[in-house]
Each structure stands twice: as C-alpha cells, then as structure tokens.
Amino acid sequence: MWNGVYSSMFRVMNGVKQGGVASPVMFCVYIDELLSGLRDKGCLFGKFFVGAIAYADDIVLLAPIVPAP
C-alpha cells in the first residue's frame, strides 16, 4: 500500500526464503559483492572514505552531490 492505494498482485519468482537455513549465507554472499562494488564510490569524511555503512540487513549508501549555484 502506498498513499492509501494497493498495488496489483504479483508473484515473487526469486529471492531468499525467510528463515531458511541457507538464507544468511546467501544474503552475505550478495551483500559482500554489492559492498565491494561500492568501494570506489562514496564520500570523504576528513581522512576517511566511506561509500556505504552496513550493519546486519541495514545499509546506508552515501554519495557526494554538487550544490546548486
């Protein structure tokens, strides 16, 4: 539901089963590759370069922006 309106029904054809024995491992494999791909993208905070902050299944993606003139 978004803004009081339901979307049409759809089938989920892929993904990782909630509570499955292999689910945590499959999630880690996927997230590791995602975070590795973000290694060269992100923001410089002082002398630290940060592209993504991740904890468990929460991820914060960071990107620099150019201020409007």
Side-chain angles (χ1 to χ4, degrees), residues 1-45:
M1 178 190 286
W2 177 259
N3 203 17
V5 178
Y6 286 98
S7 69
S8 58
M9 297 290 287
F10 60 93
R11 288 181 50 99
V12 177
M13 303 301 286
N14 58 13
V16 177
K17 181 180 176 185
Q18 183 79 22
V21 175
S23 297
V25 174
M26 298 301 288
F27 179 78
C28 288
V29 168
Y30 173 79
I31 291 301
D32 185 56
E33 189 165 328
L34 173 72
L35 294 176
S36 294
L38 293 171
R39 193 167 293 166
D40 297 333
K41 297 160 185 65
C43 301
L44 191 62
F45 291 98

